[in-house]
C-alpha cells in the first residue's frame, strides 16, 4: 500500500518568530516518497490508507543590511525521516547557496553568511533536499523555496541632474511653469514609505515655488523684471519617508534666467543736441552720432532713427548703425553759409519690434531736437554751368572769339577771378582765353577733317587767393565747311573687251568726300568739256552718287590702242561747290564669249605702278642664290692647298714637303720623331711620317752633314749673336731668313765684270762644252768675228 511521508520545516527569521510550514494543496513533485501506514477501523475493521502531501515552500523574508555580531539566522530544514541519528544529510542549492546562504548539513539550520543589499538583489531562489548518508539516496524529493529581502530606508533620493538650467520670460504671471525636477529613490516603493519622495524649496523664495509631489517649479511673484534682476538660483530638496522626520534627502540646484521682452521704450538721455558742419562738406559727410537708451537686449533693443520734421529735413539725413544702435547724422545736400547758417531737426527713435502685450505702457518711441550750424569757409569759384559746349566753324579766323565761360566767387567777399586754359588739354595751343572775362578765342586755324572735336579744361582762380581754383570741361565742336573736293572712292582697274558692243556697262564708279554736309553727300559725274562727246566711252550719272562707264562703239583693237584714259569731273552740291577731275584708265583685253578677261596687252599690264608679289619673290630668290655662291666660293678658297715656296726640282737647296696638317703638340710622338731634334745624325736617314701618307714622296738629297759645313755654321752663329746683342730687336720670338750662297763653285765666277780687267779677248768657246743649258751663252759670246764686222 502506497503512502506519502510528511515533512516539516521550521524557519526562524531575524525577528525571532517561528514559521511552521504547512504542506500546500498543490503537488510540486510527482516522485514523492510514500509511507505505508496500516491500521484497523473500529467500525468495519477495514484497512485505512493515508497519502502524505508533497513539499511546498512559501516565500520567506530576510532583512537587508544586517549589522549584528553573528550571522543572520534564516530558518531550519527538517524532515520526518530524520530520526536524529545523523544518517541524513541536508543540501542547499540555488542563488547564493554556499556563499551567501550556508546550511548545517546535519541539523538543517540555514544562515545568511554576508550582509545583503536589496538594491543589488531583492529575491533569491533556493532548492533543498535530504540525502541518506549510507545509501546516497534522497529521502525527500528536491523542493524550491524563495527568500525575499526586506527593504530598509538606506538610500536617499537622487536627482537625475546635479544642476538644472531653465529660462522664463520676464513679466510672467504667478504660477507660470518653469521646469520640472525629478528625484528617484532606490528603496522598495512597495514596502513602507522608504521610496516615497516629497519636494520642497530651500532657496529661491519668494520668487519661485515647487510642487511637493511633481517637482514642477513655478513663479511665485508677478512682473519680475529682467532689468532689475536676470539670474536666480533655486535649491530644491527631495526627501523620502513622505517627508517625515528621519527620512533621507537629496538636493539639486536650478539656475533660472529671465529672458528679455520688449517692455521698455527707447529714451534719449538729453532733449537736444548741437552739431556744426563746414559749408564745403560734400554729401554723405558724417556730422555726429546720437543714441537713445533701451534697457532691453537683442532685437527688443533695436532702434530705428528718422527725422520727423524740421527746416533741415531736406539738407540732412540720419541712418541707424545696426552694431551700436546709434543714429548717424549726415549731410544730404550741399550747404551754403551765405544762404542759411542754422538748421533745426527733430529726430525720432522708435523700437522696430514692439510687443503688443506692453503697448499699454506707453508709446515705444522718443524724440530729441538737433541743431546744426553751418560754418563759413573760403570756397573756390563756381562756374555757371557744369560743362560748356561751343560750336565753331572750321574756317574761323585766328583771333576770333568762339565762346565764353563764367565763374564767380560764392563767398561774401566776391573776390576777382582770372581764367586760364589747362595746357595739358591743349598741347597744340589752338585755343586761348582772356583772363579777365573768360572769352575763348582761336590762336591757330582749325581743320575739322583732322580733329572734329576739342576737349579742353578752363581753370578759374581767385586773384587774392590762388589756392582757391576750380576747373570746368569745355567741349568744342568744329562745324564742317565745304573745303574738300570729292574724289574717286577706290582705284579702279577697268578693262574693255575687244568684242564689246556699244552701250555696254564696263565699270561703275563712286566718290567720297572728307566733308560732312548736314544734308548728306550728293555727287555729280560728267566728262571734262574737251571730252564732252567722246567717240569711245560715255559717263552716265546714276543719281545715287555713282556713275556708269558705257561703251559707245562696237569692237576695240589692242593692236591699235591698248589703253584709254578717260577724265571724269566729280562735283558736290554744298556751298561753295567743290570739284575734282579723276582719270580712269581703261585697258583693252581679249575676252571670251561671256565677257571674262583672258589676256591684255603688255603695255597695259605695265601701267600700274609697283612690282607684283611674284617679281618680289623672284628677286629675293636670286639674292639668296648669290649669297650661297659667295659662301661656297669662300669655303673652297680656304680649303685650297698652298703652293710650295720652291717648285723647281733643280733648286740647289733642300726641298720642303708641306703636309698641311697640324701636329698634336708635345705629347704627339707618333707624327714626328722627336729623337731627330736631339740627334743630328738622324737627319741623314730618309724617314717618313708614321701617322700619315704624304701626297708626294720626294727623293731626299743626300747633303753633307751640317757640322761639316763650317762656314754655314759660323754664319748662323754670327747672325744669332748679332740678333741677341741688338737692342732694337723685338721682345718676342721672330723668324729671320738669310740667303747664304755657300763656298765658291768649281765653275768659278760666271760674272763678266771681271773680264774688264783682262787685256785681251776672252775665249768663250768652252761654253759650248757645258751642254744645252749654256747654248744661249755660247751663241752670244762665241761669235766674235761676226761682232767685229
Amino acid at each position: 500500500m502506497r503512502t506519502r511521508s510528511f515533512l516539516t520545516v521550521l524557519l526562524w527569521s531575524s525577528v525571532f518568530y517561528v514559521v511552521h510550514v504547512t504542506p500546500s494543496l498543490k503537488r510540486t513533485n510527482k516522485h514523492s516518497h510514500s509511507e505505508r501506514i496500516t491500521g484497523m477501523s473500529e467500525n468495519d475493521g477495514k484497512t485505512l490508507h493515508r497519502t502524505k502531501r508533497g513539499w511546498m515552500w512559501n516565500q520567506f523574508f530576510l532583512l537587508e543590511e544586517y549589522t549584528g555580531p553573528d550571522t543572520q539566522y534564516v530558518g531550519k530544514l527538517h524532515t520526518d525521516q530524520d530520526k536524529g541519528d545523523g544518517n541524513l544529510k541536508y543540501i542547499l542549492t540555488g542563488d547564493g547557496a554556499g556563499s551567501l546562504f550556508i546550511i548545517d548539513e546535519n541539523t538543517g539550520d540555514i544562515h545568511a553568511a554576508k550582509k545583503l543589499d536589496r538594491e543589488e538583489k531583492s529575491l533569491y531562489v533556493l532548492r533543498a533536499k535530504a540525502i541518506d548518508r549510507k545509501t546516497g539516496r534522497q529521502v525527500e524529493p528536491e523542493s524550491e523555496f524563495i527568500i525575499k529581502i526586506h527593504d530598509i530606508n538606506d538610500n536617499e533620493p537622487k536627482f537625475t541632474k546635479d544642476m538644472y538650467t531653465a529660462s522664463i520670460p520676464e513679466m510672467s504671471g504667478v504660477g507660470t511653469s518653469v521646469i520640472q525636477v525629478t528625484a528617484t529613490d532606490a528603496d522598495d516603493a512597495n514596502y513602507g514609505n522608504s521610496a516615497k519622495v516629497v519636494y520642497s524649496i530651500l532657496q529661491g523664495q519668494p520668487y519661485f515655488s515647487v510642487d511637493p509631489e511633481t517637482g514642477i517649479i513655478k513663479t511665485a511673484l508677478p512682473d519680475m523684471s529682467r532689468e532689475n534682476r536676470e539670474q536666480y538660483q533655486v535649491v530644491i530638496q527631495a526627501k523620502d519617508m513622505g517627508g517625515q522626520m528621519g527620512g533621507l534627502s537629496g538636493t539639486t540646484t536650478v539656475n533660472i534666467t529671465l529672458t528679455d521682452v520688449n517692455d521698455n521704450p527707447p529714451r534719449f538721455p538729453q532733449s537736444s543736441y548741437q552739431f556744426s558742419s563746414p559749408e564745403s562738406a560734400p554729401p554723405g559727410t558724417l556730422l555726429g552720432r546720437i543714441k537713445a537708451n533701451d534697457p532691453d537686449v537683442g532685437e527688443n533693443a533695436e532702434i530705428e532713427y528718422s527725422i520727423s520734421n524740421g527746416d533741415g529735413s531736406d539738407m540732412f539725413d540720419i541712418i541707424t548703425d545696426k552694431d551700436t544702435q546709434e543714429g548717424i547724422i549726415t549731410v544730404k545736400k550741399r550747404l551754403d553759409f551765405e544762404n542759411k547758417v542754422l538748421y533745426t531737426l527733430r529726430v525720432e527713435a522708435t523700437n522696430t519690434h514692439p510687443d503688443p502685450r506692453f503697448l499699454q505702457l506707453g508709446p515705444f518711441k522718443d524724440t530729441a531736437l538737433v541743431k546744426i550750424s553751418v560754418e563759413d569757409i573760403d570756397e573756390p569759384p563756381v562756374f555757371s554751368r557744369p560743362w560748356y559746349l561751343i560750336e565753331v566753324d572750321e574756317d574761323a579766323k585766328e583771333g576770333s572769339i568762339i565762346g565764353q565761360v563764367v565763374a564767380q566767387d560764392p563767398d561774401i567777399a566776391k573776390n576777382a577771378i582770372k581764367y586760364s586754359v589747362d595746357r595739358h588739354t591743349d598741347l597744340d595751343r589752338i585755343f586761348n582765353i582772356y583772363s579777365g572775362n573768360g572769352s575763348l578765342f582761336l590762336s591757330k586755324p582749325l581743320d575739322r577733317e583732322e580733329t572734329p572735336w576739342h576737349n579742353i579744361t578752363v581753370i578759374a582762380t581767385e586773384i587774392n587767393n590762388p589756392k582757391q581754383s576750380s576747373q570746368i570741361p569745355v567741349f568744342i565742336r568744329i562745324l564742317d565747311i565745304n573745303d574738300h573736293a570729292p574724289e574717286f572712292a577706290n582705284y579702279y582697274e577697268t578693262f574693255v573687251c575687244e568684242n564689246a558692243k556699244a552701250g555696254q556697262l564696263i565699270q561703275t564708279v563712286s566718290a567720297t568726300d572728307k566733308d560732312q554736309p548736314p544734308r548728306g553727300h550728293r555727287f555729280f559725274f560728267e566728262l571734262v568739256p574737251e571730252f564732252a562727246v567722246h567717240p569711245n566711252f560715255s559717263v552716265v550719272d546714276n543719281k545715287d552718287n555713282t556713275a556708269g562707264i558705257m561703251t559707245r562703239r562696237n569692237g576695240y583693237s589692242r593692236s591699235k590702242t591698248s589703253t584709254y584714259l578717260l577724265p571724269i569731273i566729280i562735283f558736290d552740291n554744298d556751298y561753295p561747290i567743290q570739284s575734282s577731275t579723276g582719270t580712269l584708265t581703261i585697258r583693252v583685253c581679249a575676252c571670251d564669249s561671256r565677257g571674262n578677261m583672258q589676256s591684255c596687252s603688255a603695255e597695259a599690264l605695265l601701267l600700274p605702278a609697283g612690282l607684283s608679289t611674284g617679281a618680289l619673290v623672284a628677286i629675293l630668290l636670286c639674292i639668296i642664290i648669290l649669297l650661297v655662291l659667295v659662301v661656297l666660293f669662300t669655303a673652297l678658297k680656304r680649303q685650297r692647298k698652298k703652293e710650295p715656296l720652291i717648285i723647281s726640282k733643280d733648286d740647289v737647296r733642300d726641298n720642303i714637303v708641306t703636309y698641311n696638317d697640324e701636329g698634336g703638340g708635345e705629347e704627339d710622338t707618333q707624327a714626328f720623331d722627336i729623337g731627330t731634334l736631339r740627334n743630328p745624325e738622324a737627319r741623314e736617314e730618309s724617314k717618313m711620317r708614321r701617322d700619315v701618307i704624304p701626297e708626294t714622296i720626294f727623293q731626299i738629297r743626300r747633303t753633307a752633314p751640317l757640322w761639316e759645313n763650317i762656314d754655314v755654321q759660323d754664319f748662323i752663329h754670327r747672325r744669332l749673336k748679332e740678333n741677341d746683342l741688338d737692342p732694337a730687336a723685338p721682345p718676342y720670338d721672330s723668324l729671320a731668313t738669310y740667303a747664304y750662297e755657300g763656298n765658291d763653285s768649281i765653275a768659278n765666277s760666271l760674272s763678266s765684270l771681271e773680264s774688264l780687267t783682262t787685256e785681251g779677248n776672252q775665249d768663250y768657246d768652252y761654253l759650248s762644252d757645258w751642254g744645252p743649258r749654256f747654248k744661249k751663252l755660247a751663241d752670244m759670246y762665241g761669235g766674235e768675228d761676226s761682232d767685229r764686222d
Side-chain angles (χ1 to χ4, degrees):
M1 181 177 180
R2 297 179 60 189
T3 60
R4 295 182 181 273
S5 62
F6 182 79
L7 176 65
T8 302
V9 177
L10 298 178
L11 297 176
W12 283 266
S13 66
S14 61
V15 293
F16 304 104
Y17 62 88
V18 179
V19 178
H20 183 72
V21 182
T22 58
S24 174
L25 297 177
K26 180 179 178 182
R27 296 179 61 186
T28 59
N29 198 324
K30 294 182 179 181
H31 303 285
S32 301
H33 175 72
S34 63
E35 179 183 2
R36 182 177 182 180
I37 302 176
T38 60
M40 189 66 70
S41 176
E42 297 179 355
N43 296 329
D44 52 8
K46 296 181 180 179
T47 302
L48 300 177
H49 298 274
R50 180 171 63 86
T51 303
K52 182 182 177 181
R53 291 170 293 178
W55 294 19
M56 178 62 192
W57 298 89
N58 294 325
Q59 60 182 3
F60 304 102
F61 298 92
L62 186 65
L63 290 178
E64 67 170 337
E65 303 294 344
Y66 174 73
T67 57
D70 300 327
T71 59
Q72 190 176 3
Y73 185 74
V74 178
K76 186 178 182 63
L77 181 61
H78 185 72
T79 180
D80 293 343
Q81 300 294 329
D82 190 358
K83 304 299 182 180
D85 54 1
N87 290 331
L88 295 182
K89 179 181 178 182
Y90 296 95
I91 298 176
L92 186 65
T93 60
D95 296 338
S99 58
L100 295 178
F101 303 100
I102 57 176
I103 187 171
D104 189 335
E105 61 181 15
N106 295 321
T107 63
D109 293 330
I110 303 174
H111 292 80
K114 298 180 179 179
K115 184 172 62 173
L116 303 178
D117 188 356
R118 189 201 66 82
E119 285 72 34
E120 294 182 0
K121 190 175 181 64
S122 61
L123 183 67
Y124 296 88
V125 179
L126 298 173
R127 291 178 295 279
K129 57 184 176 179
I131 300 175
D132 191 335
R133 293 180 182 274
K134 295 180 179 181
T135 61
R137 296 181 179 180
Q138 294 186 17
V139 297
E140 293 291 345
E142 185 180 67
S143 183
E144 183 179 276
F145 65 96
I146 298 173
I147 299 177
K148 293 189 69 176
I149 308 302
H150 264 214
D151 181 50
I152 64 173
N153 190 18
D154 59 342
N155 292 280
E156 73 277 3
K158 293 183 178 181
F159 286 93
T160 56
K161 294 181 180 179
D162 295 335
M163 182 177 291
Y164 292 83
T165 302
S167 62
I168 184 174
E170 64 174 333
M171 308 298 289
S172 297
V174 177
T176 303
S177 178
V178 180
I179 192 175
Q180 183 179 11
V181 295
T182 304
T184 59
D185 196 318
D187 294 326
D188 190 357
N190 298 322
Y191 182 77
N193 293 328
S194 298
K196 186 177 182 181
V197 179
V198 175
Y199 301 94
S200 62
I201 185 169
L202 300 181
Q203 178 182 327
Q205 294 175 334
Y207 308 103
F208 299 95
S209 63
V210 65
D211 190 297
E213 295 183 357
T214 61
I216 297 176
I217 300 175
K218 302 178 181 179
T219 57
L221 286 181
D223 300 333
M224 287 190 294
S225 176
R226 184 200 64 82
E227 290 73 28
N228 295 332
R229 184 177 178 181
E230 184 177 3
Q231 298 288 340
Y232 294 87
Q233 190 175 73
V234 179
V235 178
I236 303 297
Q237 175 184 265
K239 190 174 184 180
D240 59 11
M241 298 298 292
Q244 297 178 5
M245 185 176 294
L248 303 178
S249 64
T251 60
T252 188
T253 301
V254 182
N255 293 323
I256 301 175
T257 302
L258 295 183
T259 58
D260 184 61
V261 297
N262 194 3
D263 59 339
N264 294 283
R267 291 289 182 264
F268 284 104
Q270 56 193 69
S271 59
S272 64
Y273 297 86
Q274 184 74 31
F275 298 100
S276 62
S277 172
E279 62 175 335
S280 61
T285 302
L286 187 148
L287 300 182
R289 294 172 176 260
I290 60 175
K291 183 176 182 180
N293 298 324
D294 192 333
D296 296 324
V297 295
E299 67 176 12
N300 297 321
E302 292 182 359
I303 302 174
E304 186 70 28
Y305 296 90
S306 60
I307 299 176
S308 58
N309 54 37
D311 57 1
S313 58
D314 294 336
M315 305 300 295
F316 302 94
D317 196 4
I318 187 169
I319 57 177
T320 303
D321 189 337
K322 298 298 182 181
D323 297 329
T324 62
Q325 297 302 315
E326 293 178 321
I328 304 175
I329 300 176
T330 60
V331 178
K332 188 177 182 180
K333 293 182 179 180
R334 286 279 185 180
L335 303 176
D336 188 1
F337 174 82
E338 290 73 24
N339 186 24
K340 192 169 185 178
V341 298
L342 183 64
Y343 293 90
T344 301
L345 307 175
R346 184 162 294 277
V347 178
E348 185 178 89
T350 309
N351 275 139
T352 57
H353 300 87
D355 194 332
R357 297 176 298 172
F358 306 104
L359 293 179
Q360 71 277 3
L361 299 179
F364 280 75
K365 61 182 179 180
D366 194 14
T367 59
L369 189 66
V370 178
K371 296 181 179 180
I372 302 174
S373 59
V374 181
E375 299 175 351
D376 185 29
I377 63 170
D378 191 3
E379 298 177 272
V382 178
F383 285 91
S384 60
R385 300 179 187 176
W387 49 271
Y388 290 87
L389 174 62
I390 299 176
E391 295 182 344
V392 58
D393 293 334
E394 67 173 324
D395 61 347
K397 304 299 182 181
E398 296 181 17
S400 60
I401 296 176
I402 61 174
Q404 184 181 18
V405 296
V406 179
Q408 63 179 357
D409 184 8
D411 298 323
I412 298 177
K414 301 297 180 182
N415 294 322
I417 297 173
K418 65 177 181 179
Y419 301 90
S420 61
V421 176
D422 186 358
R423 291 306 173 187
H424 293 90
T425 60
D426 184 26
L427 298 177
D428 296 333
R429 295 183 175 268
I430 299 176
F431 304 95
N432 211 333
I433 191 170
Y434 290 107
S435 61
N437 58 10
S439 296
L440 288 166
F441 62 91
L442 292 177
S443 298
K444 293 182 179 180
L446 302 174
D447 187 358
R448 189 204 65 83
E449 287 72 30
E450 181 180 352
T451 307
W453 282 89
H454 294 272
N455 302 327
I456 65 173
T457 300
V458 175
I459 304 174
T461 307
E462 291 185 10
I463 296 178
N464 296 334
N465 187 6
K467 294 183 178 180
Q468 297 296 333
S469 64
S470 57
Q471 300 179 352
I472 196 73
V474 179
F475 308 106
I476 302 174
R477 179 183 179 184
I478 311 302
L479 300 179
D480 183 44
I481 297 297
N482 192 25
D483 56 348
H484 289 83
E487 57 188 11
F488 281 130
N490 301 300
Y491 173 78
Y492 298 99
E493 294 183 357
T494 307
F495 70 93
V496 62
C497 296
E498 290 182 308
N499 56 356
K501 304 297 182 181
Q504 182 177 342
L505 176 66
I506 62 174
Q507 182 70 59
T508 300
V509 296
S510 61
T512 183
D513 194 338
K514 295 180 180 180
D515 297 321
Q516 289 184 350
R519 296 184 301 273
H521 290 293
R522 179 70 178 91
F523 301 122
F524 304 94
F525 302 86
E526 63 181 33
L527 292 173
V528 295
E530 50 269 26
F531 290 90
V533 181
H534 200 280
N536 296 309
F537 305 97
S538 63
V539 177
V540 178
D541 195 335
N542 297 327
K543 309 300 182 183
D544 59 353
N545 295 338
T546 63
I549 310 301
M550 312 293 292
T551 58
R552 297 194 61 184
R553 63 186 180 87
N554 295 327
Y556 294 85
S557 175
R558 283 189 296 171
S559 60
K560 294 181 178 181
T561 304
S562 61
T563 302
Y564 293 92
L565 299 179
L566 186 65
I568 301 175
I569 301 177
I570 308 174
F571 301 89
D572 58 19
N573 66 336
D574 205 354
Y575 180 81
I577 296 176
Q578 300 287 343
S579 64
S580 66
T581 301
T583 301
L584 189 66
T585 301
I586 303 175
R587 295 181 296 165
V588 180
C589 302
C591 302
D592 57 11
S593 59
R594 297 181 180 180
N596 298 323
M597 181 181 66
Q598 292 182 341
S599 63
C600 297
S601 61
E603 293 80 0
L605 292 175
L606 293 176
L607 285 176
L611 295 175
S612 63
T613 304
L616 293 176
V617 172
I619 293 174
L620 183 61
L621 289 176
C622 292
I623 294 174
I624 294 174
I625 292 173
L626 289 176
L627 291 177
V628 171
L629 292 176
V630 170
V631 173
L632 292 176
F633 177 76
T634 304
L636 292 175
K637 187 175 182 181
R638 288 182 179 180
Q639 292 181 0
R640 184 178 299 171
K641 297 180 181 180
K642 297 182 179 180
E643 294 294 336
L645 296 177
I646 302 174
I647 300 178
S648 177
K649 295 183 180 180
D650 298 331
D651 199 304
V652 296
R653 289 169 292 180
D654 292 342
N655 293 328
I656 299 176
V657 179
T658 303
Y659 287 90
N660 288 329
D661 59 351
E662 195 171 321
E666 296 181 357
E667 297 180 358
D668 186 3
T669 60
Q670 298 297 326
F672 302 97
D673 191 358
I674 303 301
T676 304
L677 301 178
R678 300 193 182 107
N679 186 9
E681 297 181 356
R683 298 183 56 193
E684 299 179 3
E685 300 178 3
S686 177
K687 294 183 179 180
M688 302 297 176
R689 288 184 54 163
R690 291 175 289 176
D691 56 341
V692 295
I693 300 176
E695 297 178 359
T696 306
I697 300 177
F698 295 92
Q699 186 68 29
I700 301 177
R701 292 182 182 176
R702 180 171 181 83
T703 59
L706 183 62
W707 58 90
E708 295 180 0
N709 297 330
I710 304 303
D711 54 347
V712 176
Q713 186 175 3
D714 292 340
F715 176 80
I716 293 176
H717 286 314
R718 188 166 50 254
R719 296 300 185 203
L720 181 61
K721 186 176 181 180
E722 290 176 359
N723 280 276
D724 291 340
L725 298 178
D726 187 7
Y732 49 83
D733 293 341
S734 60
L735 178 64
T737 305
Y738 304 100
Y740 179 69
E741 297 182 358
N743 297 328
D744 296 339
S745 65
I746 57 176
N748 294 324
S749 176
L750 299 180
S751 176
S752 61
L753 295 178
E754 298 178 357
S755 61
L756 297 177
T757 59
T758 59
E759 297 179 356
N761 293 332
Q762 187 175 355
D763 185 9
Y764 295 101
D765 293 335
Y766 60 89
L767 294 176
S768 299
D769 300 333
W770 286 5
R773 294 183 182 181
F774 297 94
K775 183 177 184 300
K776 185 66 175 176
L777 291 176
D779 294 337
M780 294 174 60
Y781 292 95
E784 180 180 356
D785 296 337
S786 60
D787 291 336
R788 290 176 181 179
D789 294 338

